[in-house]
Amino acid sequence: MSQSALAPIQPAFEEDALIPPHGGTLKDLYLPQADADALKQRSASLPALDLNTRQLCDLELLLNGAFSPLEGFLGEADYRRVVDELRLADGTLWPIPITLDVSEEFAASLSAGSEIALRDIQGVPLAVLEVQDIYRPDLVHEAQQVFGTVDRAHPGVAELLERTRPVYLGGRLRGIQSPVHYDFAELRDTPRHLREWFAANGWSRIVAFQTRNPMHRAHRELTLRAAQKVGAKLLIQPSVGRTKPGDVDHYTRVRCYRALLPQYPADSAKLSLLPLAMRMGGPREAIWHAIIRKNYGASHFIVGRDHAGPGNDSSGKPFYGPFEAQQLLERYQAELGIQVVPFPAMVYAANRDTYVPATEVAADDDVRDISGTQLRRHLHEGSEIPSWFSFPEVVRILRERHPAQAPRGFALFFTGLSGAGKSTIAQALVAQLLEHTSRAVTVLDGDEVRKHLSRGLGFSREDRAANVTRIGYVASEIVRHGGIAVCAPIAPYADARADARSLVEAHGDFIEIHVATALEVCEARDRKGLYAQARAGKIAHFTGISDPYEVPEQPELRVDGDGAVPAVLAGHILDLLRKRGLLAV
């Protein structure tokens, strides 16, 4: 699946001589049109897998050559060496596992040599995978090696340990068609198209900049100075596939980037979008980003402070040191074949009325900055954002997307055993919420959802997961429109709860509340007689008796449903919401 060892990129841009990293010719994995049409027809008779967001992003970048030299999802030998050594089985540098995870049930129907159709969420076939390996990874080991932690406060770790299915499929891909994007089509270049554009416009030295946030004056100064330093044109290539939960949506960000472009000298900067599902993997991810940018034709790559870092861990300490990414890239610089350009953060010195590198700040400089939290507060309050911080065109777009005083939607997701008190506490909470706010509050109670939204579903693990996913989807739509969703299912499985969290956090806050009432208390209550029937074997798949309940490891709040009256417990939840700024004090 890998090619030859890494070699420096050569300035060749001809149609048949596009040079990817690691040597060799850059080739995508799409079949010629006639062959693709024939495979599309045949794919209708193959087992099919509908891909999630991460898998779709990975597939697109595999098929178009951005993940060269990979020719498909990693087999076991490549996977194990990538996890432990940042290399494919043949020794080629590759830092991030690109894997296709499936359920045990789906994997049981396959064997080496099987073919499966890979489809988008609409069921459109995009590629066929020839299965070469079926293996079961050690996800905890993968998390520790790749991310350096098993702390679920890390979004990559949470994704891996809570939402990744237990079996990986490795094999070669044959592309049928590319995923369809209806937004910003003119900015969605493939590696081949972008290299051709560089050649047609006479760009030979290109420095790439990775971003997942809106760009302001400091970013403009940093990128402009980095490009001038190495005598290169600038490629602004933001990730628009999937970033960190809570990030500004990519539609708003791309509008901001386009508004920023006129602030660069003419013919010096180009904007192109990267459909990358980020893992927030810090130093390893920085190497990955560099390899991807070389595939797109860049000769240089800017790496700043805490590149691709996810912030702080559960104890409040940063997951990665501020310069770990730069240090790891320096270690592999000779192999990468793209020149890394480490650059310090740019800060505003008010006394000089200019931006300066953080490494050049003088003792008497009046340094000013606005954090992401402070910017969100300015937007929410409608207060002035200083002109030294951003450009009027960018601020205008952000204010349009985040109007002043607009409430942020959130979901309160209660989970716990049957009889724990979830619905009762939720009712008390809703009453207290409505005493303090006129915002719309929607209750998605487990029993009511089963009666209406999830009628026909049973109590197998798959059906329980489908029920929780439906609740998460409805809650996400409520949150997206600034509402409050109060959800109270049993939700016994961590992966299903994580899926619900992911859906909601795309638009707002997800507050998981574990009602940790002891089983014996729940069973003693047994107002519906369900525990007695389960003990007698009359009810199968009963959580806590014949089916497991996976206790949340890091909920936002844990309460004992037998420890206080519901009104008091609801008050604790209101206090949490106020501390998080979701309710007025």
Side-chain angles (χ1 to χ4, degrees):
M1 200 172 287
S2 52
Q3 305 293 330
S4 58
L6 284 166
I9 195 168
Q10 301 299 319
F13 295 95
E14 292 80 11
E15 174 70 18
D16 296 321
L18 302 181
I19 307 299
H22 328 304
T25 301
L26 178 64
K27 295 186 297 184
D28 60 41
L29 304 178
Y30 291 108
L31 296 175
Q33 191 61 56
D35 294 338
D37 290 342
L39 185 58
K40 182 177 182 178
Q41 282 192 319
R42 192 165 68 80
S43 71
S45 63
L46 298 176
L49 184 66
D50 292 343
L51 303 183
N52 60 33
T53 302
R54 174 185 57 79
Q55 293 168 338
L56 278 170
C57 291
D58 287 351
L59 178 68
E60 181 171 0
L61 296 180
L62 283 165
L63 294 178
N64 70 19
F67 284 175
S68 177
L70 305 188
E71 296 177 6
F73 293 99
L74 295 185
E76 186 171 12
D78 281 325
Y79 163 79
R80 297 199 180 284
R81 196 164 181 201
V82 166
V83 167
D84 290 332
E85 302 178 46
L86 290 80
R87 297 187 182 278
L88 299 173
D90 71 352
T92 302
L93 182 65
W94 189 268
I96 299 292
I98 307 299
T99 56
L100 183 64
D101 60 299
V102 300
S103 66
E104 288 280 6
E105 182 181 16
F106 187 81
S109 66
L110 306 173
S111 59
S114 295
E115 293 181 312
I116 59 174
L118 304 181
R119 308 187 305 194
D120 67 12
I121 58 175
Q122 304 297 328
V124 177
L126 303 177
V128 168
L129 176 73
E130 179 187 342
V131 178
Q132 296 170 316
D133 268 340
I134 303 172
Y135 58 104
R136 288 156 184 78
D138 181 341
L139 297 179
V140 173
H141 179 73
E142 180 179 337
Q144 187 63 59
Q145 292 296 106
V146 175
F147 299 112
T149 180
V150 292
D151 186 341
R152 285 169 169 80
H154 190 300
V157 173
E159 166 83 12
L160 185 63
L161 299 186
E162 297 179 355
R163 295 188 285 278
T164 300
R165 289 165 289 193
V167 183
Y168 284 176
L169 304 180
R172 295 179 182 275
L173 289 166
R174 285 172 290 164
I176 296 173
Q177 63 189 85
S178 60
V180 176
H181 298 285
Y182 297 104
D183 59 322
F184 308 115
E186 75 282 4
L187 298 176
R188 292 183 177 273
D189 302 288
T190 66
R192 179 175 294 276
H193 293 153
L194 194 56
R195 284 170 171 268
E196 289 170 347
W197 188 93
F198 290 151
N201 287 270
W203 288 25
S204 57
R205 291 173 66 85
I206 302 104
V207 60
F209 180 65
Q210 151 81 27
T211 180
R212 47 170 257 270
N213 293 308
M215 293 175 62
H216 302 291
R217 290 186 183 270
H219 302 97
R220 187 257 188 191
E221 289 295 320
L222 186 155
T223 52
L224 188 60
R225 294 189 187 205
Q228 292 171 344
K229 177 180 178 181
V230 298
K233 305 288 190 177
L234 175 66
L235 170 63
I236 301 173
Q237 196 177 39
S239 293
V240 296
R242 193 186 61 183
T243 57
K244 183 181 176 183
D247 281 351
V248 175
D249 66 276
H250 82 269
Y251 300 100
T252 302
R253 288 191 288 115
V254 175
R255 292 174 61 209
C256 290
Y257 302 140
R258 289 198 300 197
L260 181 72
L261 279 181
Q263 303 297 331
Y264 291 92
D267 190 38
S268 69
K270 179 173 177 59
L271 173 63
S272 184
L273 308 185
L274 180 68
L276 178 71
M278 292 183 64
R279 274 61 165 183
M280 305 305 300
R284 279 200 184 218
E285 183 137 348
I287 293 177
W288 191 37
H289 289 174
I291 293 172
I292 292 168
R293 273 24 184 256
K294 187 168 66 168
N295 276 330
Y296 273 92
S299 56
H300 296 70
F301 181 57
I302 299 169
V303 181
R305 179 186 175 92
D306 195 26
H307 186 99
N312 294 335
D313 62 18
S314 296
S315 66
K317 297 178 180 179
F319 278 105
Y320 308 115
F323 305 110
E324 275 190 56
Q326 294 181 2
Q327 292 162 359
L328 190 65
L329 278 159
E330 183 179 358
R331 187 188 312 170
Y332 291 105
Q333 176 68 82
E335 289 184 81
L336 278 170
I338 183 171
Q339 184 66 44
V340 174
V341 184
F343 222 86
M346 302 295 295
V347 297
Y348 179 70
N351 54 303
R352 294 195 248 172
D353 190 25
T354 189
Y355 276 88
V356 297
T359 53
E360 298 177 12
V361 172
D364 59 347
D365 277 333
D366 178 12
V367 175
R368 299 182 186 179
D369 190 19
I370 294 179
S371 68
T373 299
Q374 291 171 323
L375 176 60
R376 287 190 291 273
R377 186 168 63 247
H378 280 302
L379 293 171
H380 179 70
E381 295 173 350
S383 52
E384 181 183 359
I385 296 173
S387 59
W388 57 261
F389 175 74
S390 193
F391 297 95
E393 300 86 347
V394 173
V395 172
R396 190 177 306 119
I397 293 169
L398 292 175
R399 287 198 187 281
E400 179 184 326
R401 177 63 179 86
H402 302 282
Q405 305 304 320
R408 179 173 173 83
F410 60 90
L412 294 156
F413 191 94
F414 291 85
T415 174
L417 298 172
S418 177
K422 302 181 298 299
S423 297
T424 304
I425 300 170
Q427 290 171 2
L429 174 66
V430 169
Q432 293 188 26
L433 278 170
L434 294 177
E435 284 186 16
H436 292 84
T437 179
S438 59
R439 294 174 62 181
V441 181
T442 302
V443 179
L444 298 170
D445 182 75
D447 289 341
E448 291 300 310
V449 167
R450 281 279 181 179
K451 185 184 299 183
H452 301 291
L453 185 64
S454 295
R455 179 178 293 177
L457 288 180
F459 292 89
S460 66
R461 182 173 185 127
E462 292 74 19
D463 281 0
R464 287 181 183 273
N467 179 54
V468 172
T469 299
R470 292 179 188 183
I471 292 172
Y473 172 74
V474 174
S476 74
E477 288 298 296
I478 294 167
V479 168
R480 184 162 70 94
H481 294 286
I484 301 171
V486 179
C487 314
I490 293 174
Y493 298 115
D495 55 356
R497 296 193 299 263
D499 285 341
R501 177 184 290 273
S502 180
L503 288 167
V504 169
E505 287 186 336
H507 307 293
D509 289 70
F510 184 92
I511 311 296
E512 184 177 36
I513 303 164
H514 177 212
V515 184
T517 311
L519 174 61
E520 56 269 22
V521 174
C522 297
E523 194 165 358
R525 290 173 174 174
D526 203 15
R527 285 173 288 188
K528 300 176 184 178
L530 299 178
Y531 280 96
Q533 293 181 61
R535 291 290 187 189
K538 296 179 181 180
I539 300 179
H541 302 295
F542 194 84
T543 302
I545 303 300
S546 52
D547 265 11
Y549 178 80
E550 297 174 2
V551 175
E553 293 193 8
Q554 294 178 328
E556 278 70 19
L557 185 64
R558 203 185 306 273
V559 299
D560 181 355
D562 193 43
V565 297
V568 171
L569 297 176
H572 295 332
I573 298 169
L574 285 180
D575 289 342
L576 173 64
L577 296 177
R578 292 189 184 102
K579 288 177 182 177
R580 294 175 69 108
L582 295 172
L583 282 183
V585 177

